[in-house]
Each structure stands twice: as C-alpha cells, then as structure tokens.
Amino acid sequence: MPYVPTFGGNALGIAPVFGALVPASIIAAGIGMACLGGWLVLFSGEFPVGGPSEIIASLVFLTFALAVGMVGATFIVAFYLFIFGVPVALLLGDRIRHPVALGVSLVDASAGAVFATTGSKLGLLGSGEFAPQAFALVLCFALPAGYLFRRNIIVLREQLEYT
C-alpha cells in the first residue's frame, strides 16, 4: 500500500476551509471591484476630455488604482471571510453540500456586510449609521464571497475524497 500524504486538519475538515479562503477572496474582490467601477462610471458625472497626454496619464493612474484597490479588496474580503465565513463553514461541516447551506452562507455574508457598513464596532461610518449605498457596494463583495467560499469548500472536499 503506497504512502499518501495528508494534511493534519483533514479529519476535522479544516484544510478545505482554509484552502478555499484565498481563491474565493480573490475572485470576489474582482467581482466587487467590477461592480464598484460600474458604480463610479454611472454615478460620477462628467468626464473631462483633454489631450492625449491627459488620457494616457489617466489610464496609467486608473491601472495603478485598480491594482492597489484589487489587492486591498482581496485582503479585506479575506478578513471578513475569516471572521464570518470560516466559523459557519466549520459548524456546517459536511452539511455544507446541502442546498439550504447556500442560504445560510448568503445570510452570513449579508450579516457581514451589515457589520461592515454600520461600523458600530469598527468606527468606519460612525456609531450605528446605516448607509444604503455603502451596503449595496459591500454586498457586491460579500455575496459572491459567500457563494464562492462555499463552492470552493465543496470542490476541495470532493477532491480530498477522491484522492
């Protein structure tokens, strides 16, 4: 019988949960940044049209801002997935494959979005203020993160079962 290396946390189902954290946060940050970019294009108003040098400078600045924003958004999404998603995924265990678990993960993501936008503990927007536009933007990050995190955990657990 050949030796098959395993991770120490596989017995508890911990390895797939932490293995799904980074890919889900990267993809959800990309989706959220696309929604944020669309929001800015729709509601920012007029775009000043200048010469070719201003257009090139704007494109360089936007590329740099997109790269920095994507990295920052990835870290923030990973933080909130770690705080809100990992405990729920560990509590669900193998029941995460059930269709009702999708609703649980999306409700958990929405709760994380409410926590992030009210700022009652973080001091982001003041004490208990609720901004619907900020909530909508945070949901653009949170809902894909909840769905993708659950989906990645299921895929990683199936891979572990077949190896």
Side-chain angles (χ1 to χ4, degrees):
M1 180 171 180
Y3 172 72
V4 178
T6 60
F7 300 104
N10 286 350
L12 299 174
I14 295 174
V17 171
F18 287 110
L21 191 65
V22 173
S25 63
I26 290 171
I27 297 169
I31 293 170
M33 289 296 289
C35 290
L36 180 63
W39 183 282
L40 289 176
V41 167
L42 288 175
F43 298 111
S44 66
E46 296 181 17
F47 292 105
V49 178
S53 62
E54 289 181 14
I55 293 173
I56 291 172
S58 297
L59 288 175
V60 168
F61 174 74
L62 287 175
T63 304
F64 180 72
L66 180 66
V68 171
M70 182 70 181
V71 170
T74 301
F75 279 108
I76 291 170
V77 169
F79 171 76
Y80 279 106
L81 273 178
F82 183 75
I83 298 297
F84 287 96
V86 169
V88 171
L90 291 175
L91 286 173
L92 286 174
D94 284 333
R95 293 181 299 266
I96 200 164
R97 292 185 174 120
H98 197 274
V100 175
L102 175 62
V104 170
S105 66
L106 294 180
V107 166
D108 182 48
S110 298
V114 168
F115 181 80
T117 55
T118 56
S120 58
K121 299 291 182 190
L122 299 176
L124 294 177
L125 297 174
S127 172
E129 295 178 15
F130 184 75
Q133 294 151 344
F135 178 68
L137 283 176
V138 171
L139 275 182
C140 290
F141 290 90
L143 291 179
Y147 172 76
L148 292 168
F149 186 56
R150 176 187 171 268
R151 188 73 216 136
N152 287 344
I153 290 172
I154 292 170
V155 168
L156 287 174
R157 286 189 177 172
E158 288 175 355
Q159 285 180 350
L160 287 175
E161 288 175 2
Y162 291 128
T163 57

